[in-house]
Amino acid sequence: MEFEAVIGLEVHAQLNTATKIFCSCANRFGAEPNTLTCPVCQGHPGVLPVLNGKALTKAIKAGLALGGTVARYSRFDRKNYFYPDLPKAYQISQYEHPIVIGGGVTVVRDDGSEHTFPLTRIHMEEDAGKLVHPADTNTHSLVDLNRAGTPLIEIVSEPELHSPEDAALYLTELRAILRYIDVSDCNMEEGSLRCDANVSIRPRGATTLGTKVEIKNLNSIKGVSKAIEYEIRRQTEALACGTAIVQETRLFDADREVTLSMRSKEEAHDYRYFPDPDLVPVLVTEERINELRASLPELPRARKKRFMEQYGLTPKDVGTLCASRELADWFETAAALAKNPKKVANWIQAEVLRILNAKNQDIADFSVSPQDTAGLLNLVEDGTISGKIAKDVFEKMVTTGQDAESIIEAEGLRQVSDSNEIDLVIAAVLAANPAQVEQYRSGKTAVKGFLVGQIMKQSGGKANPALVNQLLEQKLNQ
Ligand code: ADP
Ligand code: MG
Ligand code: ZN
């Protein structure tokens, strides 16, 4: 029997607000434990949470960017459970009335086809604290409440993904959108984007869902697809030999690339949701929704399409350039000033990203401006310098911060297009290599490449290559 995998993803994204969701403590990663807390996020009795308006705004923007319907009325509920990182013994979340209904994530597959994976909902909630297990003891653990009260949105997909590849595309696109609209930095290593994957299988063609397993502890997109891949294999093998799948929560072991049982359905929680009496319902006006919709920037998919049409770029080019909004902005600033925007795209991929990679930097930290880069490439376009010299000049721009013109002037790197000057170099090279000249004249014309190389070398790379070729040919055929 042939099986089909069914996958639904639950993604938690921490909102990048300045303060927490229900108190005014700073929302920041990496501070000394328990330095960013107050009675509200420590869960003292009798305190009063107040919703952070900026967090609400970001949740609404996420909903709009993902094509969902923003609820004019939503509400916070208490999700009750005990865990040491949750001092109130309930998490403030949304259950019956989430802030966003529906929407979808549209991906472009490798073959160029588009596919939209529908969302069930997006709701807001607070993050819990974090347990720290010191390496030097097994007698106790520590609680850090800095993360408690960090604003989250949970983006829940319908069970309509069917492969690990699509899951990876979905997450990549979702992350790009949330970053473009500046609602989350989506750093999976720091936990600001977290994903749980629900996986089941069913006979191909079936319309009912199989028993699902929920996989937690996924902290990279690659981890998500590896975990799903393993889980599909495990479930297929189990069903093939007649073993039923049990509904359970499993953990992903990234080193061994396997999932392991964590807890079964019998231990599943009953959260006893009920409306949080400390918080008023959230009412959003149509005007506010329209205002936020109008404030959205161009989203990654639209930008990629426009870049392909406007600048003649390939899907691969735009995939790279639009990976982050900052890089796409950088490209557009340079492209607007460049005589040949396609060359800018090539230059970013070949030179800029290579240098950033080597330095482990982001485009925001890059020492060369897009304006100066366009200036450099225009000097190649108009023949002032060769493409090869441009690479050296660029390296110097990176280290000195100077623009191309200054470096070219100071170092005398201007391309030589004076035929008299080039003729002199050619004459010297031909005189020094009589054997090669003889070979050429006896029909082994491939040796011309060697002579061109010598001439370019003699000229310090500055001779105009097209002119060298033309003049050399004349000389050899005399
Ligand atoms: P739970 O209450 O266990 O969290 P939900 O019904 O809220 O379950 O669904 C959580 C996620 O699991 C959603 O993304 C949903 O699409 C997905 N899901 C639900 N049922 C299945 C299934 N049978 N197979 C795969 N994914 C599923
Ligand atoms: Mg769940
Ligand atoms: Zn606080």
Side-chain angles (χ1 to χ4, degrees):
M1 197 192 289
E2 245 207 274
F3 292 103
E4 171 188 56
V6 176
I7 303 156
L9 299 176
E10 294 167 281
V11 173
H12 287 92
Q14 289 183 339
L15 302 177
N16 59 359
T17 49
T19 57
K20 294 186 180 180
I21 184 167
F22 298 121
C23 63
S24 54
C25 291
N27 171 25
R28 181 155 53 80
F29 180 82
E32 276 293 297
N34 296 309
T35 54
L36 308 176
T37 65
C38 73
V40 173
C41 55
Q42 288 168 8
H44 289 210
V47 297
L48 204 56
V50 177
L51 178 63
N52 177 345
K54 297 270 169 49
L56 175 64
T57 296
K58 285 184 190 266
I60 295 174
K61 283 174 82 170
L64 293 171
L66 292 165
T69 304
V70 176
R72 298 282 304 277
Y73 171 97
S74 67
R75 196 179 73 191
F76 286 97
D77 295 301
R78 290 186 179 180
K79 178 179 181 179
N80 298 282
Y81 67 97
F82 172 77
Y83 202 69
D85 64 7
L86 188 75
K88 298 194 297 298
Y90 63 84
Q91 178 193 26
I92 305 178
S93 182
Q94 294 188 309
Y95 188 61
E96 260 181 273
H97 297 279
I99 184 69
V100 178
I101 308 285
V105 175
T106 302
V107 306
V108 182
R109 294 196 178 122
D110 285 347
D111 63 5
S113 66
E114 285 190 358
H115 195 85
T116 301
F117 297 107
L119 299 179
T120 313
R121 64 169 198 270
I122 303 175
H123 65 252
M124 301 180 72
E125 61 190 20
E126 59 179 347
D127 210 341
K130 218 186 230 172
L131 290 190
V132 181
H133 310 289
D136 58 353
T137 172
N138 55 15
T139 61
H140 62 273
S141 291
L142 304 168
V143 184
D144 176 8
L145 293 178
N146 281 350
R147 195 178 72 175
T150 296
L152 294 177
I153 48 174
E154 178 171 343
I155 301 146
V156 183
S157 86
E158 288 287 295
E160 293 192 22
L161 292 122
H162 300 288
S163 71
E165 294 77 24
D166 278 347
L169 288 175
Y170 171 100
L171 287 173
T172 305
E173 186 64 18
L174 178 60
R175 183 176 62 179
I177 292 170
L178 297 178
R179 284 181 173 161
Y180 261 65
I181 61 175
D182 188 30
V183 308
S184 174
D185 54 30
C186 296
N187 186 332
M188 289 187 90
E189 281 131 53
E190 293 182 358
S192 59
L193 190 78
R194 310 196 289 268
C195 176
D196 299 337
N198 298 272
V199 182
S200 64
I201 58 170
R202 65 184 173 193
R204 192 168 292 283
T207 49
T208 52
L209 294 171
T211 303
K212 79 171 160 117
V213 158
E214 181 172 5
I215 315 166
K216 294 196 174 287
N217 213 22
L218 302 166
N219 49 20
S220 70
I221 292 179
K222 185 167 159 257
V224 173
S225 55
K226 285 283 176 204
I228 293 173
E229 211 177 288
Y230 175 86
E231 196 52 35
I232 293 172
R233 206 165 54 234
R234 186 187 71 84
Q235 293 184 20
T236 307
E237 278 164 17
L239 284 197
C241 52
T243 317
I245 305 298
V246 272
Q247 184 171 337
E248 61 182 351
T249 303
R250 297 177 73 88
L251 282 183
F252 181 56
D253 178 336
D255 294 328
R256 291 164 51 209
E257 296 186 347
V258 299
T259 64
L260 304 163
S261 182
M262 182 178 146
R263 60 170 181 256
S264 67
K265 195 191 177 182
E266 288 78 66
E267 302 155 57
H269 295 115
D270 176 356
Y271 295 117
R272 306 281 162 133
Y273 283 98
F274 66 89
D276 191 313
D278 287 341
L279 286 153
V280 291
V282 179
L283 304 179
V284 187
T285 65
E286 205 62 44
E287 291 73 42
R288 182 71 179 137
I289 295 171
N290 289 335
E291 187 183 301
L292 290 173
R293 185 181 282 115
S295 79
L296 289 178
E298 185 180 33
L299 298 175
R301 200 159 47 91
R303 199 164 203 192
K304 285 181 195 164
K305 271 195 191 140
R306 182 170 63 77
F307 276 13
M308 288 200 273
E309 286 161 16
Q310 190 172 339
Y311 302 113
L313 305 183
T314 64
K316 181 178 166 289
D317 291 335
V318 297
T320 308
L321 296 178
C322 297
S324 82
R325 187 174 165 188
E326 291 74 20
L327 187 62
D329 286 346
W330 203 96
F331 164 74
E332 277 224 286
T333 309
L337 299 167
K339 293 179 179 147
N340 188 338
K342 169 72 181 165
K343 290 251 172 82
V344 177
N346 295 346
W347 192 265
I348 290 176
Q349 293 174 85
E351 304 300 319
V352 177
L353 293 180
R354 179 180 56 76
I355 295 169
L356 288 176
N357 250 334
K359 298 182 157 210
N360 201 8
Q361 278 185 338
D362 280 338
I363 191 72
D365 315 315
F366 195 43
S367 56
V368 181
S369 69
Q371 289 84 352
D372 283 354
T373 304
L376 170 74
L377 296 179
N378 285 345
L379 293 173
V380 179
E381 281 304 296
D382 69 16
T384 308
I385 55 170
S386 68
K388 187 160 179 301
I389 295 255
K391 291 188 183 177
D392 299 338
V393 173
F394 195 60
E395 295 281 350
K396 293 195 172 113
M397 291 167 73
V398 172
T399 46
T400 66
Q402 284 184 299
D403 68 8
E405 292 269 11
S406 320
I407 293 168
I408 292 163
E409 275 327 309
E411 310 213 356
L413 295 174
R414 210 165 265 285
Q415 179 159 281
V416 176
S417 296
D418 173 343
S419 46
N420 292 330
E421 217 172 301
I422 294 177
D423 271 338
L424 288 176
V425 182
I426 293 178
V429 168
L430 296 190
N433 298 283
Q436 281 79 1
V437 174
E438 201 44 52
Q439 276 179 23
Y440 182 90
R441 291 188 171 140
S442 66
K444 290 189 175 163
T445 51
V447 77
K448 185 180 157 200
F450 166 79
L451 294 168
V452 170
Q454 293 299 305
I455 296 160
M456 292 306 293
K457 200 169 155 196
Q458 283 267 315
S459 77
K462 289 188 289 182
N464 179 330
L467 202 53
V468 167
N469 266 290
Q470 186 198 331
L471 296 172
L472 176 63
E473 193 126 329
Q474 282 173 15
K475 274 265 169 3
L476 289 172
N477 293 328
Q478 260 169 21

